[in-house]
Amino acid sequence: MTRFLLALVLTASLAGCGFHLRNKLMLPADTAAVKVVSTAPYSELAKLLRRGLQSSGAQIAESDDTAKAAQLQVLSERWGDLPIAIDAQGRAQEYSLRYAVIFKFLREDGSELVPQQVIELSRDYVSPPTDATGTTTEREILADELRREMSASIMRRIDSVVRAEMEGRIPAKPATPDSLPVEPAVQPPAAPATHIPGH
């Protein structure tokens, strides 16, 4: 019953929040269309990004379209379960679910608008060693929430860079991947992690 209520609360919070930009996504004026390019083109994140771009006013180019288009490239998606608490028998009972994505945004001419960078998100969940079924359900709900939040975070990064560039606040020399903060790598879980379909 408790886990059912948790599912309802999380679902309601997602629906209420919406994870969308308040205003139309700002893109360069000469952007005809945007193509989402991913190492996993049919992943849920790629679908969410296409949907988010379209609902924010961008025209989406199909993957097989040969016309020039700006590209939102998802270079990597990584998941990990980090144990953060153990029980009296030394068994992990609480984890931090971590989700890291590397992406960049290219203009139609191939130049970088948003340099390659990492966004990492995490959520904690309880995983009693004797309740694997309940843990799977909770982890799946959190994973869906993280994907939605990741999509919104990427959209906000693009929007903020474009708005800053239009207002003349972008430095003459754009940042390079080497100058960006290095995010900690997502480590595989010490204990076997529950598999989520689609990963």
Side-chain angles (χ1 to χ4, degrees), residues 8 30 50 56 90 101 126 136 141 145 153 157-158 190:
L8 286 178
D30 58 351
R50 291 189 186 95
S56 297
V101 170
V126 176
T136 300
I141 292 170
E145 179 184 349
S153 296
R157 290 279 181 96
I158 296 169

Side-chain angles (χ1 to χ4, degrees), residues 31-98:
T31 302
V34 181
K35 183 182 296 185
V36 177
V37 180
S38 173
T39 53
Y42 301 106
S43 73
E44 287 302 314
L45 178 62
K47 293 176 184 177
L48 286 168
L49 288 170
R50 291 189 186 95
R51 194 179 307 152
L53 286 165
Q54 192 168 30
S55 65
S56 297
Q59 180 181 342
I60 303 301
E62 298 299 326
S63 56
D64 57 353
D65 192 344
T66 57
K68 282 190 176 181
Q71 290 190 15
L72 171 52
Q73 297 185 355
V74 179
L75 306 175
S76 173
E77 289 185 64
R78 298 182 63 189
W79 293 85
D81 296 82
L82 182 67
I84 57 177
I86 59 174
D87 61 15
Q89 285 73 43
R91 298 173 300 182
Q93 63 176 2
E94 187 174 353
Y95 291 88
S96 176
L97 176 60
R98 304 179 70 186

